[in-house]
Amino acid sequence: MPRFRYKARSSRGDALTGEIEAPSAEAVAGQLLSGGVTPVDIVEVSPSRDVWTDFKKILGADRPGLDDLILLCRQLHALTRAGVPITRGIAGLSETTRNVVLREVLEKIQAELEAGRELSYAMGQYPTVFTPLMISMVRVGENTGRLDEAFGQLAQYLELDRDTRDRVKQALRYPSFVLAAISAAIVVVNIWVIPRFAAVFKSMHVELPWQTQLLIGISEFMQTNWQYLLGAGVIGFIAARQYVRSPDGKYRWDKFKLRIPVTGSLVLRATLSRFARAFAMATRAGVPLIQTLTTVARAVDNDYVGERVLSMRNAIERGETLTRTAVATGLFTPLVIQMLSVGEETGGVETMMAEVADFYDRQVEYDLKNLSGALEPILIVAVGVLVLILALGIFLPMWDLGQAAIGRPG
């Protein structure tokens, strides 16, 4: 919302100055006149430009994260439960939030609310900030008059989702660090270490083993073409990132993530936990089944799993049961299928889906505890292969030279 600086006179003729946020200069004049103050001059204040903030917005680094959305839902839950009008609550939050993008979005949502729009409609104008699940839950809360409960459930769901994501990232941090260290070691060895040994071997005029010749050839290639390799790496990274962001690339990458050895099953269980918890929350809130599946398919953050969920929706529209459609996806374990079947028979599908989410959460936690043990042998083998290559390529010719020096007659 724009900010205006005003000069005015009180009823006694005293000069007054200040700043007010309002949709227009006319609104500022109205506020001043209603307070018994006569406006003299009203000028819009141009916002200060922050180069670093603008740069982060361009890169998307300042996009609201899960922590920002959790805090927003918690605050809106408290405000709506206390009976504060939603327009006033949004206005207050827009002034206190630290995230620049979220602040601007809240200011625009406030303008939409003042124009008579519903909160769910205003949130729907910003799909990069608010997920379809959040928008659907808010819409249900508006229709049922229980908006405070909707925000409370959203906060709990987002907190659980954040905890699951953090656990997965923490488990993958160690192997990622080891792989990065191995890559850095390969670069250092080829650029600084091997050239020194190559100079020594060249001065001795001896025939080198093929392993050493291969290492020296790779090192010389990297030294000669490092700028091209660096450029190719940067271009390849940008191209891969853009491809993954495309619909076809994201679908293929999401499908590939689920098939990576060791970690693929972990990512799948975490995704299915997110699906089951979102399904249970939306169903418990009264969202129709077809709309729930449509919304959750976009909220699982995996296009491959989302496509399977949409196939469930299509089958249910044709008259199939939820259990049979779940079996057809091939994503769920037999135990989960049995739980869904019991839920349909007893009319407590949302309760059973919450149990499914807890079941997958326990599996994810168990897999995370054993992940380091499963990856350590692979990493040890990778380090061992690197050391073996260096030993054969560098120390083997040095050993041959030493043997030749010992056997040479004095």
Side-chain angles (χ1 to χ4, degrees), residues 129-311:
V129 176
F130 305 109
T131 64
L133 181 63
M134 294 183 65
I135 298 170
S136 296
M137 288 294 296
V138 171
R139 183 179 295 111
V140 171
E142 290 175 328
N143 294 335
T144 59
R146 296 184 295 180
L147 194 58
D148 57 332
E149 295 182 11
F151 283 121
Q153 293 177 8
L154 280 172
Q156 294 178 1
Y157 167 77
L158 293 175
E159 285 178 347
L160 291 171
D161 189 26
R162 179 195 59 187
D163 293 341
T164 301
R165 291 173 184 265
D166 289 345
R167 288 200 302 267
V168 173
K169 289 179 181 179
Q170 185 177 3
L172 297 177
R173 190 172 299 152
Y174 168 71
S176 300
F177 175 78
V178 173
L179 292 176
I182 292 176
S183 302
I186 292 175
V187 173
V188 170
V189 166
N190 279 280
I191 293 181
W192 284 286
V193 178
I194 292 180
R196 295 182 181 274
F197 284 97
V200 174
F201 296 151
K202 186 176 181 180
S203 64
M204 294 182 177
H205 304 287
V206 295
E207 184 178 356
L208 300 175
W210 67 268
Q211 299 95 331
T212 306
Q213 295 180 13
L214 178 62
L215 287 178
I216 293 176
I218 295 175
S219 176
E220 291 178 348
F221 178 79
M222 290 186 65
Q223 291 182 81
T224 306
N225 304 284
W226 66 268
Q227 63 272 25
Y228 303 110
L229 294 175
L230 180 61
V234 172
I235 294 174
F237 173 78
I238 296 175
R241 187 177 181 182
Q242 293 298 322
Y243 177 70
V244 169
R245 290 182 175 181
S246 66
D248 182 64
K250 188 175 187 306
Y251 176 85
R252 293 178 181 273
W253 170 241
D254 288 342
K255 184 178 180 180
F256 175 74
K257 285 191 298 185
L258 305 180
R259 299 183 178 182
I260 298 176
V262 182
T263 61
S265 60
L266 175 65
V267 175
L268 175 61
R269 291 188 179 96
T271 304
L272 292 179
S273 170
R274 191 179 306 121
F275 157 75
R277 197 171 301 282
F279 184 96
M281 182 181 65
T283 306
R284 189 179 293 116
V287 180
L289 180 59
I290 300 300
Q291 183 181 347
T292 294
L293 290 174
T294 304
T295 301
V296 173
R298 297 197 298 265
V300 294
D301 197 23
N302 187 295
D303 286 0
Y304 177 72
V305 175
E307 184 187 51
R308 298 297 182 92
V309 175
L310 289 178
S311 69

